[in-house]
Short mmCIF file of all heavy atoms in Angstrom, two decimals:
data_model
loop_
_atom_site.label_atom_id
_atom_site.label_comp_id
_atom_site.label_asym_id
_atom_site.label_seq_id
_atom_site.Cartn_x
_atom_site.Cartn_y
_atom_site.Cartn_z
N LEU H 28 4.90 -3.38 17.70
CA LEU H 28 3.43 -3.58 18.07
C LEU H 28 2.63 -4.12 16.91
O LEU H 28 1.76 -4.88 17.11
CB LEU H 28 2.90 -2.19 18.54
CG LEU H 28 1.47 -2.25 19.08
CD1 LEU H 28 1.28 -3.14 20.26
CD2 LEU H 28 0.97 -0.80 19.46
N ASP H 29 2.95 -3.75 15.75
CA ASP H 29 2.20 -4.28 14.62
C ASP H 29 2.31 -5.77 14.57
O ASP H 29 1.46 -6.52 14.11
CB ASP H 29 2.61 -3.62 13.27
CG ASP H 29 4.09 -3.68 12.93
OD1 ASP H 29 4.86 -4.20 13.78
OD2 ASP H 29 4.43 -3.07 11.94
N GLU H 30 3.60 -6.42 14.86
CA GLU H 30 3.69 -7.78 14.79
C GLU H 30 2.88 -8.46 15.96
O GLU H 30 2.22 -9.51 15.74
CB GLU H 30 5.24 -8.11 15.20
CG GLU H 30 6.10 -7.72 13.98
CD GLU H 30 7.65 -8.18 14.29
OE1 GLU H 30 7.83 -9.38 14.24
OE2 GLU H 30 8.41 -7.26 14.60
N ILE H 31 2.82 -7.84 17.10
CA ILE H 31 2.03 -8.33 18.16
C ILE H 31 0.59 -8.37 17.82
O ILE H 31 -0.15 -9.32 17.93
CB ILE H 31 2.27 -7.53 19.48
CG1 ILE H 31 3.73 -7.61 19.93
CG2 ILE H 31 1.29 -7.98 20.60
CD1 ILE H 31 4.07 -6.69 21.09
N LEU H 32 0.07 -7.25 17.25
CA LEU H 32 -1.36 -7.12 16.80
C LEU H 32 -1.71 -8.14 15.80
O LEU H 32 -2.80 -8.81 15.76
CB LEU H 32 -1.69 -5.74 16.40
CG LEU H 32 -1.61 -4.67 17.51
CD1 LEU H 32 -1.95 -3.17 16.96
CD2 LEU H 32 -2.56 -4.92 18.71
N GLY H 33 -0.73 -8.35 14.80
CA GLY H 33 -0.96 -9.35 13.78
C GLY H 33 -1.10 -10.77 14.36
O GLY H 33 -1.93 -11.54 13.94
N PHE H 34 -0.14 -10.98 15.34
CA PHE H 34 -0.18 -12.36 16.07
C PHE H 34 -1.57 -12.52 16.78
O PHE H 34 -2.23 -13.62 16.72
CB PHE H 34 0.90 -12.36 17.02
CG PHE H 34 0.92 -13.49 18.06
CD1 PHE H 34 1.09 -14.80 17.60
CD2 PHE H 34 0.63 -13.30 19.33
CE1 PHE H 34 1.03 -15.80 18.58
CE2 PHE H 34 0.59 -14.21 20.35
CZ PHE H 34 0.80 -15.52 19.94
N VAL H 35 -1.99 -11.40 17.52
CA VAL H 35 -3.20 -11.47 18.13
C VAL H 35 -4.44 -11.76 17.22
O VAL H 35 -5.25 -12.56 17.60
CB VAL H 35 -3.44 -10.18 19.07
CG1 VAL H 35 -4.84 -10.17 19.53
CG2 VAL H 35 -2.46 -10.13 20.20
N GLU H 36 -4.50 -11.05 16.18
CA GLU H 36 -5.51 -11.17 15.18
C GLU H 36 -5.63 -12.72 14.65
O GLU H 36 -6.59 -13.30 14.56
CB GLU H 36 -5.31 -10.21 14.12
CG GLU H 36 -6.26 -10.52 12.84
CD GLU H 36 -7.72 -10.07 13.09
OE1 GLU H 36 -7.98 -9.51 14.18
OE2 GLU H 36 -8.43 -10.30 12.23
N ASN H 37 -4.32 -13.21 14.37
CA ASN H 37 -4.30 -14.60 13.94
C ASN H 37 -4.82 -15.59 14.93
O ASN H 37 -5.75 -16.51 14.55
CB ASN H 37 -2.83 -14.94 13.63
CG ASN H 37 -2.61 -16.39 13.06
OD1 ASN H 37 -3.21 -16.72 12.03
ND2 ASN H 37 -1.95 -17.18 13.88
N ILE H 38 -4.40 -15.52 16.27
CA ILE H 38 -4.93 -16.63 17.22
C ILE H 38 -6.31 -16.42 17.53
O ILE H 38 -7.01 -17.25 17.93
CB ILE H 38 -3.91 -16.63 18.48
CG1 ILE H 38 -4.03 -15.25 19.26
CG2 ILE H 38 -2.57 -17.04 18.05
CD1 ILE H 38 -3.25 -15.30 20.52
N ALA H 39 -6.69 -15.07 17.45
CA ALA H 39 -8.17 -14.77 17.84
C ALA H 39 -9.12 -15.36 16.82
O ALA H 39 -10.12 -15.81 17.16
CB ALA H 39 -8.44 -13.24 17.91
N GLN H 40 -8.80 -15.20 15.49
CA GLN H 40 -9.64 -15.63 14.40
C GLN H 40 -9.54 -17.13 14.02
O GLN H 40 -10.39 -17.78 13.88
CB GLN H 40 -9.42 -14.69 13.21
CG GLN H 40 -9.75 -13.23 13.46
CD GLN H 40 -11.19 -13.04 14.05
OE1 GLN H 40 -12.11 -13.62 13.63
NE2 GLN H 40 -11.19 -12.15 14.95
N ARG H 41 -8.18 -17.46 13.94
CA ARG H 41 -7.95 -18.84 13.50
C ARG H 41 -7.88 -19.90 14.58
O ARG H 41 -8.30 -21.13 14.27
CB ARG H 41 -6.55 -18.86 12.69
CG ARG H 41 -6.55 -18.09 11.46
CD ARG H 41 -5.33 -18.17 10.71
NE ARG H 41 -5.36 -17.42 9.46
CZ ARG H 41 -4.40 -17.46 8.58
NH1 ARG H 41 -3.44 -18.37 8.54
NH2 ARG H 41 -4.48 -16.61 7.39
N LYS H 42 -7.54 -19.56 15.70
CA LYS H 42 -7.57 -20.42 16.83
C LYS H 42 -8.72 -20.26 17.83
O LYS H 42 -8.73 -20.86 18.95
CB LYS H 42 -6.15 -20.40 17.53
CG LYS H 42 -5.03 -20.88 16.74
CD LYS H 42 -5.31 -22.38 16.17
CE LYS H 42 -4.26 -22.72 15.13
NZ LYS H 42 -4.57 -24.05 14.64
N GLU H 43 -9.55 -19.30 17.57
CA GLU H 43 -10.68 -18.99 18.36
C GLU H 43 -10.31 -18.76 19.82
O GLU H 43 -11.00 -19.04 20.85
CB GLU H 43 -11.77 -20.16 18.33
CG GLU H 43 -12.13 -20.46 16.92
CD GLU H 43 -13.28 -21.60 16.96
OE1 GLU H 43 -14.24 -21.37 17.68
OE2 GLU H 43 -13.09 -22.58 16.17
N CYS H 44 -9.20 -18.02 19.97
CA CYS H 44 -8.78 -17.65 21.31
C CYS H 44 -9.41 -16.36 21.82
O CYS H 44 -9.84 -15.52 20.96
CB CYS H 44 -7.19 -17.46 21.40
SG CYS H 44 -6.29 -18.94 21.06
N LYS H 45 -9.49 -16.32 23.09
CA LYS H 45 -10.00 -14.89 23.59
C LYS H 45 -8.73 -14.26 24.18
O LYS H 45 -8.07 -14.81 25.02
CB LYS H 45 -11.08 -15.11 24.64
CG LYS H 45 -12.40 -15.36 24.13
CD LYS H 45 -13.42 -15.43 25.22
CE LYS H 45 -14.80 -15.52 24.68
NZ LYS H 45 -15.33 -14.38 24.03
N VAL H 46 -8.29 -13.06 23.70
CA VAL H 46 -7.07 -12.48 23.96
C VAL H 46 -7.39 -11.15 24.86
O VAL H 46 -8.26 -10.32 24.36
CB VAL H 46 -6.27 -12.12 22.76
CG1 VAL H 46 -4.95 -11.59 23.19
CG2 VAL H 46 -6.02 -13.35 21.90
N ILE H 47 -6.70 -11.06 25.94
CA ILE H 47 -6.78 -9.81 26.78
C ILE H 47 -5.56 -9.08 26.70
O ILE H 47 -4.48 -9.58 27.16
CB ILE H 47 -7.12 -10.11 28.23
CG1 ILE H 47 -8.45 -10.99 28.39
CG2 ILE H 47 -7.29 -8.89 29.12
CD1 ILE H 47 -8.78 -11.51 29.69
N LEU H 48 -5.53 -7.92 26.10
CA LEU H 48 -4.37 -6.97 25.97
C LEU H 48 -4.37 -6.12 27.17
O LEU H 48 -5.36 -5.58 27.46
CB LEU H 48 -4.41 -6.26 24.57
CG LEU H 48 -4.39 -7.14 23.38
CD1 LEU H 48 -4.48 -6.30 22.18
CD2 LEU H 48 -3.10 -8.01 23.32
N ILE H 49 -3.18 -6.01 27.71
CA ILE H 49 -3.11 -5.05 28.91
C ILE H 49 -1.88 -4.06 28.60
O ILE H 49 -0.77 -4.51 28.36
CB ILE H 49 -2.79 -5.94 30.17
CG1 ILE H 49 -3.85 -6.86 30.37
CG2 ILE H 49 -2.71 -4.92 31.41
CD1 ILE H 49 -3.50 -7.90 31.43
N TYR H 50 -2.17 -2.77 28.74
CA TYR H 50 -1.14 -1.82 28.47
C TYR H 50 -1.54 -0.43 29.01
O TYR H 50 -2.63 -0.12 29.31
CB TYR H 50 -0.86 -1.77 26.99
CG TYR H 50 -2.08 -1.35 26.15
CD1 TYR H 50 -2.36 0.02 25.77
CD2 TYR H 50 -2.93 -2.33 25.70
CE1 TYR H 50 -3.55 0.25 25.00
CE2 TYR H 50 -3.99 -2.03 24.87
CZ TYR H 50 -4.32 -0.76 24.57
OH TYR H 50 -5.44 -0.44 23.84
N ASP H 51 -0.50 0.46 29.02
CA ASP H 51 -0.62 1.86 29.38
C ASP H 51 -0.52 2.65 28.07
O ASP H 51 0.61 2.90 27.63
CB ASP H 51 0.45 2.25 30.35
CG ASP H 51 0.28 3.79 30.82
OD1 ASP H 51 -0.52 4.47 30.27
OD2 ASP H 51 1.14 4.24 31.63
N GLU H 52 -1.67 3.18 27.60
CA GLU H 52 -1.53 3.71 26.25
C GLU H 52 -0.75 5.05 26.30
O GLU H 52 -0.07 5.39 25.37
CB GLU H 52 -3.02 4.03 25.72
CG GLU H 52 -3.07 4.60 24.30
CD GLU H 52 -4.50 4.57 23.82
OE1 GLU H 52 -5.39 4.13 24.47
OE2 GLU H 52 -4.54 5.00 22.61
N ASP H 53 -0.79 5.70 27.43
CA ASP H 53 -0.06 7.06 27.41
C ASP H 53 1.47 6.67 27.32
O ASP H 53 2.18 7.73 26.95
CB ASP H 53 -0.43 7.75 28.76
CG ASP H 53 -1.80 8.22 28.81
OD1 ASP H 53 -2.41 8.36 27.71
OD2 ASP H 53 -2.35 8.49 29.90
N SER H 54 1.84 5.59 27.79
CA SER H 54 3.32 5.30 27.74
C SER H 54 3.83 4.66 26.41
O SER H 54 5.07 4.37 26.24
CB SER H 54 3.71 4.34 28.83
OG SER H 54 3.34 4.96 30.14
N LEU H 55 2.94 4.45 25.41
CA LEU H 55 3.33 3.92 24.21
C LEU H 55 4.16 4.97 23.52
O LEU H 55 3.92 6.22 23.53
CB LEU H 55 2.13 3.58 23.34
CG LEU H 55 1.28 2.29 23.75
CD1 LEU H 55 0.04 2.28 22.90
CD2 LEU H 55 2.12 1.10 23.57
N GLY H 56 5.18 4.53 22.62
CA GLY H 56 5.85 5.50 21.79
C GLY H 56 5.02 6.00 20.73
O GLY H 56 4.01 5.43 20.38
N GLU H 57 5.53 6.94 20.07
CA GLU H 57 4.70 7.61 19.00
C GLU H 57 4.39 6.66 17.84
O GLU H 57 3.32 6.60 17.30
CB GLU H 57 5.48 8.89 18.44
CG GLU H 57 5.45 9.98 19.37
CD GLU H 57 4.10 10.45 19.84
OE1 GLU H 57 3.14 10.54 18.96
OE2 GLU H 57 3.83 10.73 21.00
N ASN H 58 5.38 5.87 17.52
CA ASN H 58 5.22 4.91 16.40
C ASN H 58 4.19 3.81 16.80
O ASN H 58 3.30 3.42 15.99
CB ASN H 58 6.49 4.25 16.04
CG ASN H 58 7.53 5.18 15.29
OD1 ASN H 58 6.98 6.17 14.70
ND2 ASN H 58 8.81 4.82 15.35
N ALA H 59 4.32 3.40 18.03
CA ALA H 59 3.34 2.38 18.49
C ALA H 59 1.85 2.90 18.59
O ALA H 59 0.97 2.34 18.39
CB ALA H 59 3.83 1.92 19.93
N LYS H 60 1.73 4.22 18.99
CA LYS H 60 0.52 4.89 19.09
C LYS H 60 -0.14 4.96 17.72
O LYS H 60 -1.31 4.73 17.43
CB LYS H 60 0.66 6.32 19.61
CG LYS H 60 0.77 6.36 21.17
CD LYS H 60 0.90 7.77 21.70
CE LYS H 60 1.07 7.79 23.27
NZ LYS H 60 1.10 9.14 23.78
N ASP H 61 0.63 5.29 16.60
CA ASP H 61 0.19 5.31 15.32
C ASP H 61 -0.35 3.90 14.78
O ASP H 61 -1.34 3.81 14.18
CB ASP H 61 1.31 5.82 14.36
CG ASP H 61 1.68 7.27 14.57
OD1 ASP H 61 0.83 7.92 15.24
OD2 ASP H 61 2.75 7.70 14.23
N VAL H 62 0.50 2.88 15.17
CA VAL H 62 0.05 1.54 14.88
C VAL H 62 -1.14 1.08 15.49
O VAL H 62 -2.20 0.60 14.87
CB VAL H 62 1.25 0.48 15.24
CG1 VAL H 62 0.71 -0.95 15.09
CG2 VAL H 62 2.37 0.70 14.38
N LEU H 63 -1.34 1.53 16.82
CA LEU H 63 -2.56 1.15 17.55
C LEU H 63 -3.81 1.91 16.87
O LEU H 63 -4.84 1.30 16.70
CB LEU H 63 -2.44 1.57 19.00
CG LEU H 63 -3.52 1.19 19.82
CD1 LEU H 63 -3.82 -0.32 19.90
CD2 LEU H 63 -3.33 1.72 21.23
N THR H 64 -3.57 3.16 16.51
CA THR H 64 -4.66 3.91 15.96
C THR H 64 -5.04 3.27 14.58
O THR H 64 -6.27 3.17 14.26
CB THR H 64 -4.25 5.39 15.63
OG1 THR H 64 -3.84 5.91 16.96
CG2 THR H 64 -5.29 6.18 15.01
N LYS H 65 -4.12 2.77 13.87
CA LYS H 65 -4.45 2.22 12.56
C LYS H 65 -5.08 0.90 12.58
O LYS H 65 -5.93 0.63 11.80
CB LYS H 65 -3.02 2.03 11.82
CG LYS H 65 -3.15 1.50 10.39
CD LYS H 65 -1.78 1.49 9.73
CE LYS H 65 -1.94 0.85 8.25
NZ LYS H 65 -0.56 0.78 7.56
N TYR H 66 -4.67 0.08 13.56
CA TYR H 66 -5.20 -1.39 13.61
C TYR H 66 -6.15 -1.73 14.63
O TYR H 66 -6.68 -2.81 14.75
CB TYR H 66 -4.06 -2.38 13.81
CG TYR H 66 -3.11 -2.32 12.55
CD1 TYR H 66 -1.75 -1.90 12.64
CD2 TYR H 66 -3.55 -2.83 11.32
CE1 TYR H 66 -0.96 -1.83 11.45
CE2 TYR H 66 -2.71 -2.84 10.20
CZ TYR H 66 -1.49 -2.36 10.24
OH TYR H 66 -0.58 -2.38 9.19
N ARG H 67 -6.37 -0.78 15.70
CA ARG H 67 -7.30 -1.16 16.82
C ARG H 67 -8.65 -1.47 16.40
O ARG H 67 -9.29 -2.47 16.97
CB ARG H 67 -7.31 0.08 17.81
CG ARG H 67 -8.15 1.24 17.41
CD ARG H 67 -7.85 2.45 18.28
NE ARG H 67 -7.74 2.11 19.74
CZ ARG H 67 -7.13 3.05 20.52
NH1 ARG H 67 -6.63 4.20 20.13
NH2 ARG H 67 -6.98 2.65 21.86
N GLU H 68 -9.28 -0.80 15.35
CA GLU H 68 -10.51 -1.28 15.00
C GLU H 68 -10.59 -2.55 14.35
O GLU H 68 -11.62 -3.39 14.43
CB GLU H 68 -11.12 -0.21 13.98
CG GLU H 68 -12.61 -0.52 13.60
CD GLU H 68 -13.15 0.69 12.74
OE1 GLU H 68 -12.40 1.58 12.30
OE2 GLU H 68 -14.44 0.50 12.38
N LYS H 69 -9.52 -2.98 13.63
CA LYS H 69 -9.41 -4.28 13.05
C LYS H 69 -9.27 -5.37 13.95
O LYS H 69 -9.85 -6.50 13.95
CB LYS H 69 -8.36 -4.35 12.01
CG LYS H 69 -8.16 -5.64 11.39
CD LYS H 69 -7.11 -5.60 10.28
CE LYS H 69 -6.70 -7.18 9.80
NZ LYS H 69 -7.92 -7.69 9.16
N VAL H 70 -8.35 -5.09 15.11
CA VAL H 70 -7.95 -6.17 15.97
C VAL H 70 -8.84 -6.24 17.26
O VAL H 70 -9.26 -7.36 17.74
CB VAL H 70 -6.47 -5.97 16.34
CG1 VAL H 70 -5.99 -7.07 17.32
CG2 VAL H 70 -5.64 -6.02 15.06
N ILE H 71 -9.12 -5.00 17.81
CA ILE H 71 -9.70 -5.03 19.19
C ILE H 71 -11.27 -4.83 19.06
O ILE H 71 -11.75 -4.05 18.37
CB ILE H 71 -9.12 -3.82 19.95
CG1 ILE H 71 -7.55 -3.87 20.18
CG2 ILE H 71 -9.82 -3.59 21.29
CD1 ILE H 71 -6.96 -2.72 20.73
N ASP H 72 -11.84 -5.78 19.72
CA ASP H 72 -13.38 -5.77 19.75
C ASP H 72 -13.93 -4.75 20.91
O ASP H 72 -15.00 -4.14 20.69
CB ASP H 72 -13.89 -7.09 20.11
CG ASP H 72 -13.54 -8.21 19.09
OD1 ASP H 72 -13.85 -7.86 17.87
OD2 ASP H 72 -13.07 -9.25 19.49
#
């Protein structure tokens, strides 16, 4: 997930893309939930 969020951040800022992420947060693994908690403020508007 951290690779995906890094990729999203890159195309959103450098390529001016609008990105829509779709997911079931309750079904994320524990590691993925930790990554999302860590990076959501940086990546997700």
Side-chain angles (χ1 to χ4, degrees):
L28 185 58
D29 55 357
E30 294 181 69
I31 298 173
L32 294 179
F34 167 73
V35 169
E36 170 72 4
N37 180 62
I38 62 174
Q40 300 305 321
R41 296 189 179 185
K42 295 301 172 184
E43 301 182 54
C44 294
K45 284 186 173 290
V46 183
I47 302 174
L48 300 176
I49 306 169
Y50 57 92
D51 178 3
E52 186 168 357
D53 292 339
S54 299
L55 289 171
E57 289 303 318
N58 291 337
K60 285 182 179 179
D61 292 340
V62 169
L63 184 60
T64 301
K65 182 177 180 180
Y66 293 111
R67 75 194 318 158
E68 184 174 1
K69 174 178 175 57
V70 178
I71 300 172
D72 296 313

